[in-house]
Amino acid sequence: EIPAALGMEVLCPESAAAAAAGKGESGRLCRRAEGLGYCADLCSYVRMGMALARDGGLPKPDVLLCCDNICSGMVQWYEAMARTLQVPLVLLNFPYRQSEVSQGQVNYLLGQLKAAIRQLEELTGRRWDPQAFQEACRREERSARVWQRVLDCAMAHPSPLRSMEIFDYMPLMVTGRCRPETEGRLLGLARELSTRRPEGKEYRIYWEGTPCWPVLGQVVELLDKRHIRVVADPISHSLGFCCQDLESLARAYCETINGVSLEEGVAMRAELCRRYGVDGVLIHYNRSCRPWCGDLQEVERRLREELGVPVVSFDGDQGDPGAFSPAQFETRLDTLTELMAARREAQT
């Protein structure tokens, strides 16, 4: 939102790493990073991002802007990129919270946002224009409204959204939420989805976590074979926020599903599951994302208890193909399918 108001183009190294993994480049990039001295235990996005940064696989930025509200490991990654690329780094710290967002926390964040604006003003030579920021927020709100409309298409039975399809459009909201063309692109998608008339039975699931990008085609094929559709997930739904000013921006960025207490995180997930009428839950223990997965066993237990639907997990990775076992994934899918079928039969 802030770079958009200053007329800056925004790129996201995470999105670039996901795209590279989806194109089959992750193994090569991870090996390259390990050759540069980055340990294989690090997040695969970090390893791929550092390989891309070192070898010119991304346009060289004028500045790195890092917000740690989604992952504590982002700070070290961006510090390493700043040293490698020899560009300035602007850091924003969003503390983990256990309760409602306090005014003290908002004030702490507002101080950082205003400092970041001053740094970007100096870098670009452009003056901060509150009206330009308001316009960026208005475009963001329009995009967010249509994004939610797209997501809600999955409430239909059967869902017109194919399994994992929503993740194809997620970069529009990651880096393009303030662009004027984003609303139109999402409106086109919403219209297309409204014309689809899928037939046949379906099992509706909530997918917890990031997709396994290197094997996404294989994952979708195995889901489709069992008539399983992903109708909700925590990541795409977290992108539907909007703001009107710096204070509401600070509050919105405090609401990420993995930056709140366990109780609030479970409640947010359970609400999504109920809203989209899921038959089961599939949890991805993402080897790269330890901050996210640290409490997933408890999340898994509570969702099973609260929702009364089958909850099954599997091991994988968002970028490293070596961490995914096709045999294990297929076995876990069979288990989930059998449990969902048995539950549906018992309800008829």
Side-chain angles (χ1 to χ4, degrees):
E1 295 82 0
I2 289 173
L6 289 165
M8 303 176 74
E9 185 69 22
V10 180
L11 302 173
C12 178
E14 280 199 349
S15 295
K23 292 181 178 180
E25 293 291 312
S26 55
R28 178 185 64 82
L29 290 171
C30 285
R31 289 191 297 273
R32 170 61 174 149
E34 289 159 27
L36 295 171
Y38 294 98
C39 177
D41 286 336
L42 289 173
C43 165
S44 57
Y45 278 179
V46 173
R47 286 178 282 156
M48 286 189 283
M50 291 311 301
L52 290 167
R54 179 64 68 91
D55 296 340
L58 290 174
K60 184 176 178 179
D62 297 298
V63 62
L64 291 168
L65 181 59
C66 178
C67 176
D68 66 358
N69 68 326
I70 59 169
C71 174
S72 56
M74 295 281 287
V75 175
Q76 288 73 32
W77 177 12
Y78 274 60
E79 286 175 341
M81 281 200 298
R83 291 191 298 269
T84 298
L85 298 169
Q86 297 184 328
V87 297
L89 169 64
V90 178
L91 283 172
L92 297 171
N93 170 238
F94 279 67
Y96 176 85
R97 64 181 180 84
Q98 288 282 3
S99 57
E100 293 297 317
V101 182
S102 68
Q103 190 58 47
Q105 184 175 2
V106 170
N107 293 341
Y108 170 70
L109 297 172
L110 282 174
Q112 294 183 73
L113 292 173
K114 291 174 182 177
I117 289 170
R118 289 193 296 271
Q119 289 175 276
L120 294 176
E121 281 182 311
E122 293 174 7
L123 175 74
T124 62
R126 300 169 183 171
R127 296 290 296 171
W128 177 253
D129 182 355
Q131 290 186 339
F133 179 68
Q134 289 292 323
E135 178 56 30
C137 290
R138 282 192 289 269
R139 290 197 298 266
E140 174 184 68
E141 185 173 10
R142 291 194 293 268
S143 297
R145 192 180 301 117
V146 186
W147 178 250
Q148 190 60 54
R149 176 177 161 185
V150 169
L151 294 174
D152 284 348
C153 288
M155 296 175 73
H157 292 255
S159 168
L161 272 165
R162 304 182 188 98
S163 284
M164 316 302 283
E165 182 180 14
I166 194 63
F167 291 102
D168 292 342
Y169 300 94
M170 197 167 63
L172 286 174
M173 293 300 288
V174 173
T175 55
R177 55 192 301 112
C178 298
R179 293 176 187 159
E181 67 271 17
T182 297
E183 179 188 13
R185 294 181 67 181
L186 291 173
L187 275 171
L189 173 61
R191 293 191 191 103
E192 179 194 338
L193 291 171
S194 69
T195 65
R196 292 183 188 175
R197 297 292 183 268
E199 297 179 354
K201 69 175 183 179
E202 69 169 355
Y203 293 110
R204 304 165 60 84
I205 69 165
Y206 168 86
W207 174 289
E208 172 67 35
T210 312
C212 305
W213 298 114
V215 293
L216 191 61
Q218 187 176 2
V219 166
V220 170
E221 182 180 347
L222 291 170
L223 290 169
D224 289 346
K225 182 180 176 181
R226 292 158 179 79
H227 309 289
I228 294 175
R229 281 192 176 93
V230 177
V231 296
D233 73 276
I235 301 176
S236 61
H237 285 270
S238 72
L239 298 172
F241 69 89
C242 52
C243 56
Q244 297 77 41
D245 50 35
L246 288 177
E247 179 164 336
S248 61
L249 184 149
R251 290 184 179 276
Y253 273 65
C254 290
E255 299 294 338
T256 56
I257 199 167
N258 57 330
V260 300
S261 68
L262 172 65
E263 288 71 22
E264 190 171 349
V266 170
M268 292 165 76
R269 291 170 169 92
E271 192 278 330
L272 279 175
C273 291
R274 293 190 181 99
R275 180 176 183 180
Y276 291 88
V278 305
D279 300 301
V281 173
L282 185 61
I283 292 183
H284 174 200
Y285 280 88
N286 183 353
R287 176 190 172 280
S288 277
C289 208
R290 293 180 180 86
W292 189 302
C293 295
D295 63 357
L296 275 189
Q297 283 188 320
E298 182 62 13
V299 169
E300 183 176 347
R301 185 186 71 79
R302 292 196 190 191
L303 286 179
R304 184 181 292 111
E305 196 173 81
E306 187 168 335
L307 297 172
V309 300
V311 182
V312 171
S313 63
F314 73 97
D315 301 306
D317 194 89
Q318 59 199 14
D320 190 340
F324 177 82
S325 167
Q328 186 211 52
F329 183 73
E330 191 160 9
T331 300
R332 300 295 170 84
L333 274 189
D334 285 340
T335 300
L336 180 61
T337 305
E338 290 171 9
L339 291 171
M340 291 189 296
R343 179 174 179 270
R344 183 173 292 182
E345 185 177 344
Q347 291 177 330
T348 58

